[in-house]
Amino acid sequence: MTQRIINNTLISDREQNGYIFISDIHGNLETLTLIEQAQKDYPKAKLVAGGDYVDGRSHVKEVLDYLIEQKAEGAIILRGNHEQMLLNYADQNEHQDGIWFYNGGNKTLANLLGPTASATDLHDSKYYRFLNGCPIMYETPHLIFVHAGVRPDKKYNDPATYTETTYGLKYDYDFFRIWARERYWYSNREHEIIAHNLTGKTIVTGHTPTAGLEGKFDDGRILNNLSVDHCVVRSLQYPGEPARIFTDGGSHSNPLIYPHNDGNVVVLDSEGKIVRVYNWDNPQGTEFKNK
C-alpha cells in the first residue's frame, strides 16, 4: 500500500479492512469510551478522526493526548475548522484570538497549557506540532473522509475550481473542506435542493450537528430536521449514487442543556457501507437506521 499527501489530502491506493470514523469530539471524554468499544469489536478497522477535537467541553487535553497515541499506532487524524482556528491563533494571525476565543478557544488554551498560557506557548507546544501536521482530507479508492465536505461534483479534488467568494470569505479548497455547510449540502441553496454526489465515492463528514440537516431531494423526498438533542448519523443518497454520511453528534453544544450529545462513532466497510454505530443511546453499538 502506498500513501502520499497532495494539497493537504492523504491519498491511499488501497482500502483498509473497514474504518472506524469519529468527528467533532470537542473535548468530550465519553466519546473516547465509544471509540474503544468500536476498536474492541472491530480490531482490524482503521481509526479515522474527522476533526474538531478542541473547544466545547472540558477534556481537550485528554482527547488530544489520546489522539496523539492513536496516530502513533496508525490512525488517520484529520484537521477541522476548530483546529485551524487554534493554529491561526498560535501563528498570531490578525484577529484570530477573537474568532477562536468566541468559539471556546480561551477554555481550550487554559485546559492545554494553563490559565496564563499565550499564543507563543501554544505555538511551542506538542499540540501545535501535532495539529499542524494533520491533513485536511483522507481519500481512498471508494471513500472520502473530510471534516465539512467537498463540492460533490467530478472536479471535487481540483483546487483551481474552488473560486467562490461570499462576504469577503474565499471558499478556496482548504477553506471549503473545513467550513462549508450549505455549499456542500445543496445544489440550489435558495430552494434547499439536496445535491447529488457525483464524486463516485462515499463522502463521510462531521462539522454540522446532524439534527439541523433539512432540505428536499429533487425526486420529491423530504429531509426533515430533528430535535437538537437527537444528533444521530444520517445518510443522504440518490439512487445509483454513493452516499454522503453525516456524523456530528453535537458535542460542541452546551453539555448542561444537551448532556448526552456525546458523538457518533461509525464503523464502515471498505466501500462505505455503515456497519455499526456507537453513541450514548447505544454504547455497545447498534445497526444503522437512517433518519
Side-chain angles (χ1 to χ4, degrees):
M1 181 181 69
T2 59
Q3 293 188 154
R4 62 193 189 280
I5 294 181
I6 300 176
N7 297 319
N8 281 322
T9 300
L10 177 62
I11 302 172
S12 174
D13 64 358
R14 190 178 304 173
E15 297 293 357
Q16 298 291 323
N17 188 12
Y19 301 90
I20 298 169
F21 182 78
I22 177 63
S23 188
D24 300 86
I25 301 174
H26 285 295
N28 191 339
L29 202 59
E30 287 80 358
T31 310
L32 305 187
T33 301
L34 299 174
I35 297 171
E36 289 169 350
Q37 183 62 51
Q39 290 177 316
K40 179 181 177 181
D41 294 343
Y42 298 89
K44 294 183 179 180
K46 177 175 282 293
L47 177 63
V48 181
D52 280 13
Y53 320 114
V54 305
D55 308 338
R57 304 201 180 183
S58 58
H59 295 281
V60 172
K61 185 178 188 299
E62 292 91 334
V63 167
L64 289 185
D65 286 340
Y66 174 82
L67 293 174
I68 289 170
E69 293 177 358
Q70 290 293 311
K71 183 178 180 180
E73 295 177 7
I76 305 297
I77 312 298
L78 303 178
R79 188 190 316 173
N81 58 305
H82 283 260
E83 284 74 52
Q84 190 60 58
M85 287 188 284
L86 178 155
L87 295 172
N88 290 344
Y89 169 78
D91 289 337
Q92 300 187 51
N93 291 348
E94 187 176 8
H95 305 310
Q96 288 301 319
D97 55 343
I99 295 172
W100 186 43
F101 281 17
Y102 176 80
N103 283 277
N106 55 333
K107 295 179 180 178
T108 289
L109 183 61
N111 183 238
L112 290 177
L113 300 172
T116 63
S118 66
T120 299
D121 295 328
L122 182 59
H123 189 277
D124 292 341
S125 72
K126 69 174 183 179
Y127 301 111
Y128 177 92
R129 294 190 294 273
F130 169 61
L131 295 173
N132 193 49
C134 292
I136 290 176
M137 193 161 83
Y138 175 48
E139 185 170 1
T140 74
H142 294 103
L143 288 133
I144 297 168
F145 296 97
V146 63
H147 181 62
V150 291
R151 205 181 54 243
D153 59 33
K154 294 180 179 179
K155 293 186 176 181
Y156 70 91
N157 60 353
D158 182 356
T161 64
Y162 286 77
T163 59
E164 183 180 357
T165 300
T166 303
Y167 301 119
L169 296 175
K170 183 178 180 182
Y171 278 79
D172 62 19
Y173 192 37
D174 285 353
F175 190 87
F176 191 106
R177 291 187 291 173
I178 63 174
W179 280 102
R181 296 191 194 275
E182 290 87 351
R183 285 168 177 77
Y184 171 56
W185 309 342
Y186 302 134
S187 58
N188 184 318
R189 297 201 297 274
E190 180 180 358
H191 297 288
E192 298 185 342
I193 304 299
I194 293 169
H196 288 259
N197 180 5
L198 305 180
T199 65
K201 300 184 179 187
T202 296
I203 308 172
V204 188
T205 63
H207 187 50
T208 298
T210 62
L213 294 170
E214 60 182 339
K216 295 169 283 189
F217 293 86
D218 64 16
D219 56 17
R221 289 176 292 149
I222 303 295
L223 179 73
N224 294 311
N225 60 20
L226 305 173
S227 62
V228 292
D229 59 346
H230 196 51
C231 290
V232 297
V233 176
R234 307 181 80 178
S235 178
L236 277 59
Q237 187 171 15
Y238 283 96
E241 296 177 2
R244 291 185 295 162
I245 297 170
F246 295 77
T247 70
D248 183 353
S251 288
H252 194 234
S253 58
N254 189 329
L256 298 178
I257 301 174
Y258 309 113
H260 301 307
N261 285 19
D262 289 343
N264 296 302
V265 175
V266 185
V267 180
L268 305 109
D269 69 15
S270 61
E271 295 189 354
K273 179 182 177 181
I274 299 175
V275 176
R276 201 161 183 82
V277 175
Y278 299 77
N279 52 34
W280 179 82
D281 288 321
N282 302 282
Q284 300 301 313
T286 187
E287 293 183 1
F288 170 64
K289 295 180 180 179
N290 204 13
K291 301 282 182 146

